[in-house]
Amino acid sequence: MELERQILHNSREVGRAFSQVTLDDDYNLPDFKPDLTKVIKERGKIHLDEIHVNNGHVWFKGVLEFDILYRTDLDGKKINSLNGEITFQESLSIDGIEELDPVKVEGKIEDISVSVINSRKLSIRSLAEFTAVAKKPEETAVLTGIPDKTGCEIETEQMEILELMTDKKDTLRIRKEISLSSNKPNMDEILWSSVELRGVNSRLKNGEIEVAGEALIYVLYSGAEEEERLQWFETTVPIQGSVECNTCEESLVCRIEAALAQVNMEALPDEDGEERNILLEMVVNLSICLWKEEQLEIISDIYALDRQVNPGFQTACFEKLLVKNEAKCRMADKIEMDSEQEDILQICVNEEKLAIEQTAITDEGVLAEGTLTVEVLYMTPDDAMPIGSTRAYIPFSQVIEMPKAQNPVKIHLDGGIEQVTTVLADSRTIDVKAVISLNLLAFEQQERMAITDIEETELDLAALQQSPGIVGYIAREGDRLFGIAKENHTTMENLMETNHLTGTVVKPGEKLLIIKTVG
C-alpha cells in the first residue's frame, strides 16, 4: 500500500550529568607586578577549550580565568591588578552516549576566594559547577494520507505541533572605540573593568537573525598624572548585528540566549597622542533554537472491509507551544558594611550576576526562585586604602503565568537584568533597587500512538461468517464511533444512517444497532 508520510524533526535528551569541582592552585605574581598586601576584589570565569565524548564519558579541558584587584605599598600607587589562569581537566559520566553524539557542556563559578600566602604568592580556590547535556536528533514519520483507490476507512486527528528547525550556536563580534569625557584625566593603566549585557533581544527575518541591545561598561583606571590618582567612568555601548540562518522565518518560535564569551579592553592614544581612548572588543555567544508551528492532519487508525489491514503502532511524542510569556520582578534591599570594612566615600563600579536556582510548576504558573548578586567597588576616605569592595546576595521569587495543561509540560526559563541602581544612604549603607526579566517558553508534551507501517492480508471470510450480522451495542466510556465500526466490520456512515445519528460522537450508555457490512 502506498502511503503519504511527513517527517518531523526534533531533538531528544538522552542524558545529563552534573558535578561540583574544587579548582585550586597557588599563583606567583609576575616579576613586573608590585608586592601584594591585601586582596580587595576577585572574580573568575570558566572557559572550555576541548570537549571529547567516549564510552559513556564526557572529557573536557579548560581554564579558570581570574582577575584580582589588590593593595600594594608601592609609593604613589596603592592599587594594582593582575589576571591569571588555572588549567583543569575533568570528566562526567552519561550512560549510553557515543563518540559522535552532540554534548553541550557548561561551566560556571559558584564561588571564588583568594588568600595571601606572602607578598608574592596567592592561593586561588574556586568551586565550579559543570553540567553536561546530551541530545540526539530525532525523526518521527507521521502518516498523513493514502491514495483514494485503496478503499480504506480512515480516522484522522488534527494536531498542533512544533517542529525543530534549527539548533545551533553562533557568535557576534563587537568592536567599538570609547573616548573619555573631557572632564576625565588621561589614563595611565586600566586597573579594573566590567562589561555586562543589558536588554538584548532578537528579531527574526528571512534568512537571518538581528540582535540588538547594549553593553554596560565600567572602568577603573589610574590617572596619568600623580595627583590624579584613581579615576573611574561608566558608559553604554550599543550592540547591533546579525547572523545568518537559512531556516529563519519571521513566524518561527525562537529561544535565543546571548552570553559574553570574551572581552578585551586596550588603552589607545587619541589624535593628540594622549591615552584617552579605549578599544573594546567583545565576542557574544548565541545559542539559537527555532521551531515551526504546524497544523497537521494525521491518520490515527485505518481498516478495510474487503481485506485485513493491520496498522503497526509505536509511541511518539509531539510538542505543542503552550505559552511564551515574560514577567518583570522588582526587588529592593540594603547592603550593610561589615565592621572590618572601610567607610564609603563614593560608589565607583557595580557588577551584577543573576542566577535562577529553582523552578516549579504550580497552579498559578511557573515559580522561579534565585539570587541576584550585587558587588560594589567604592572609594574610601582612607588614603592608605583608597578602594573597598562589598557584596550582597538578594533573593527573588516570581510566578510567571502559564495556562494549565492536560499533559506534561517542558519549560525553558531565561533571566536577564534590566536595571540595577545603587545609592549611598550613608557611609555604611547602600540602597539597592533592581528589575529583572524572566522569559518563559513552555511546551506541552503530547504522547500519541503513531502508525509506522501497514500490513495487508486476505480477509478471513470464515471468521466473518461466524460473527452475527446484526448486533445491539451499548456505548461505554471512551468509545469512538470509528472504533465501534472497525470492531464490527462496518463503516461510520452506515452506523450513522442506521441509528439516525447527526454526529460522530457517542455518549456512554447510548444504544446502537449495528449491521455487519461485507465489502
Side-chain angles (χ1 to χ4, degrees):
M1 180 185 294
E2 185 180 349
L3 304 175
E4 297 173 4
R5 303 179 185 272
Q6 181 166 336
I7 306 298
L8 303 176
H9 300 86
N10 215 320
S11 65
R12 177 173 57 91
E13 184 178 308
V14 296
R16 64 170 57 221
F18 172 81
S19 178
Q20 284 188 329
V21 178
T22 299
L23 305 176
D24 57 355
D25 202 356
D26 292 343
Y27 180 81
N28 295 314
L29 267 67
D31 293 339
F32 61 88
K33 286 293 183 180
D35 288 356
L36 181 150
T37 58
K38 182 180 179 181
V39 174
I40 299 173
K41 185 175 174 61
E42 67 282 313
R43 68 182 173 204
K45 189 173 184 179
I46 294 290
H47 284 284
L48 298 176
D49 300 322
E50 298 180 34
I51 300 174
H52 301 285
V53 180
N54 188 21
N55 296 328
H57 287 80
V58 183
W59 302 87
F60 49 93
K61 295 180 180 179
V63 295
L64 163 63
E65 293 185 356
F66 59 85
D67 298 301
I68 298 171
L69 189 67
Y70 68 93
R71 175 189 172 184
T72 175
D73 285 337
L74 187 68
D75 289 340
K77 189 174 183 180
K78 299 294 185 182
I79 304 298
N80 214 301
S81 62
L82 62 90
N83 56 70
E85 60 184 40
I86 297 173
T87 60
F88 63 84
Q89 178 174 326
E90 299 291 337
S91 70
L92 291 170
S93 298
I94 301 179
D95 292 339
I97 61 170
E98 301 171 356
E99 183 177 356
L100 299 180
D101 289 344
V103 179
K104 179 182 178 182
V105 181
E106 291 184 342
K108 65 177 184 178
I109 299 297
E110 183 67 21
D111 186 42
I112 184 170
S113 62
V114 179
S115 56
V116 180
I117 298 175
N118 58 51
S119 62
R120 305 297 303 171
K121 192 173 186 178
L122 297 171
S123 173
I124 313 295
R125 185 180 179 87
S126 175
L127 180 63
E129 294 183 349
F130 295 101
T131 304
V133 179
K135 291 184 178 181
K136 286 186 177 181
E138 192 173 59
E139 291 185 349
T140 303
V142 294
L143 186 61
T144 56
I146 57 174
D148 292 337
K149 63 182 180 181
T150 57
C152 292
E153 301 293 322
I154 62 172
E155 182 181 41
T156 62
E157 180 182 2
Q158 292 282 347
M159 290 189 65
E160 295 179 26
I161 64 165
L162 284 175
E163 182 176 10
L164 182 65
M165 305 297 292
T166 298
D167 185 357
K168 70 167 189 173
K169 294 184 179 298
D170 213 321
T171 57
L172 194 64
R173 297 182 181 274
I174 309 293
R175 182 184 173 95
K176 297 283 186 180
E177 193 166 309
I178 305 169
S179 299
L180 292 178
S181 57
S182 58
N183 62 333
K184 291 292 183 181
N186 296 347
M187 289 180 289
D188 175 46
E189 180 185 2
I190 296 176
L191 298 173
W192 193 264
S193 62
S194 173
V195 179
E196 297 177 2
L197 300 182
R198 290 286 188 272
V200 178
N201 55 71
S202 306
R203 180 184 176 191
L204 303 185
K205 301 181 69 176
N206 291 334
E208 67 176 7
I209 300 171
E210 289 185 349
V211 181
E214 62 181 21
L216 188 58
I217 316 293
Y218 295 105
V219 176
L220 178 73
Y221 69 95
S222 56
E225 303 297 331
E226 184 176 343
E227 65 272 11
E228 301 293 355
R229 297 185 181 179
L230 294 176
Q231 299 289 328
W232 66 93
F233 73 91
E234 63 179 270
T235 187
T236 56
V237 170
I239 294 175
Q240 193 164 7
S242 62
V243 295
E244 292 184 2
C245 184
N246 295 331
T247 60
C248 187
E249 300 173 5
E250 294 182 14
S251 60
L252 297 183
V253 176
C254 69
R255 182 192 184 207
I256 301 174
E257 299 175 87
L260 273 176
Q262 257 181 315
V263 177
N264 182 57
M265 283 192 193
E266 180 184 353
L268 295 177
D270 61 9
E271 296 177 354
D272 299 325
E274 297 179 328
E275 299 283 343
R276 298 192 58 80
N277 292 341
I278 293 176
L279 177 62
L280 171 65
E281 295 177 306
M282 298 185 294
V283 177
V284 179
N285 279 349
L286 299 175
S287 180
I288 301 169
C289 283
L290 304 177
W291 295 269
K292 184 178 183 179
E293 288 187 279
E294 291 192 78
Q295 288 275 355
L296 272 187
E297 184 177 54
I298 67 172
I299 296 176
S300 56
D301 204 353
I302 183 172
Y303 69 97
L305 298 179
D306 60 349
R307 61 197 185 279
Q308 193 69 34
V309 176
N310 299 314
F313 291 90
Q314 74 172 17
T315 303
C317 187
F318 306 98
E319 291 185 339
K320 170 187 174 182
L321 178 63
L322 181 62
V323 71
K324 188 173 184 179
N325 200 4
E326 179 182 1
K328 304 286 187 184
C329 180
R330 301 179 184 276
M331 58 189 77
D333 205 348
K334 293 181 182 293
I335 301 177
E336 302 285 351
M337 307 300 290
D338 295 335
S339 58
E340 66 272 13
Q341 291 178 300
E342 301 84 1
D343 285 351
I344 307 170
L345 184 63
Q346 190 172 359
I347 295 173
C348 303
V349 175
N350 296 334
E351 292 182 22
E352 299 88 31
K353 182 172 69 174
L354 179 67
I356 300 174
E357 296 160 352
Q358 185 173 317
T359 59
I361 297 176
T362 69
D363 291 339
E364 291 75 28
V366 176
L367 173 63
E369 296 178 321
T371 304
L372 176 67
T373 303
V374 180
E375 298 188 63
V376 179
L377 201 62
Y378 60 89
M379 299 289 291
T380 80
D382 186 358
D383 290 339
M385 177 56 77
I387 289 289
S389 176
T390 188
R391 178 185 303 170
Y393 301 96
I394 305 174
F396 68 86
S397 178
Q398 179 71 35
V399 174
I400 306 101
E401 291 184 0
M402 181 180 75
K404 292 183 179 180
Q406 297 179 347
N407 301 301
V409 176
K410 181 169 70 176
I411 63 172
H412 302 283
L413 187 62
D414 304 313
I417 300 172
E418 295 280 321
Q419 184 181 6
V420 177
T421 58
T422 54
V423 177
L424 189 61
D426 55 49
S427 62
R428 307 293 297 172
T429 308
I430 300 173
D431 290 330
V432 181
K433 292 184 179 180
V435 180
I436 64 172
S437 61
L438 298 169
N439 300 294
L440 172 66
L441 192 60
F443 297 156
E444 185 176 358
Q445 311 291 295
Q446 306 175 94
E447 196 171 272
R448 295 288 190 276
M449 298 301 294
I451 298 176
T452 56
D453 57 74
I454 293 177
E455 180 185 1
E456 291 183 289
T457 59
E458 290 186 3
L459 191 64
D460 189 346
L461 292 175
L464 182 61
Q465 290 171 355
Q466 291 177 2
S467 64
I470 300 176
V471 297
Y473 184 83
I474 300 176
R476 298 185 295 265
E477 186 74 37
D479 272 349
R480 301 160 15 249
L481 197 62
F482 183 90
I484 297 171
K486 179 180 179 180
E487 290 296 323
N488 292 276
H489 203 76
T490 186
T491 66
M492 286 202 303
E493 289 78 4
N494 288 340
L495 282 177
M496 293 174 66
E497 182 179 351
T498 302
N499 294 277
H500 307 290
L501 301 177
T502 58
T504 59
V505 177
V506 289
K507 300 177 181 179
E510 190 170 355
K511 296 177 181 179
L512 300 175
L513 178 65
I514 303 174
I515 302 175
K516 182 171 60 179
T517 304
V518 179

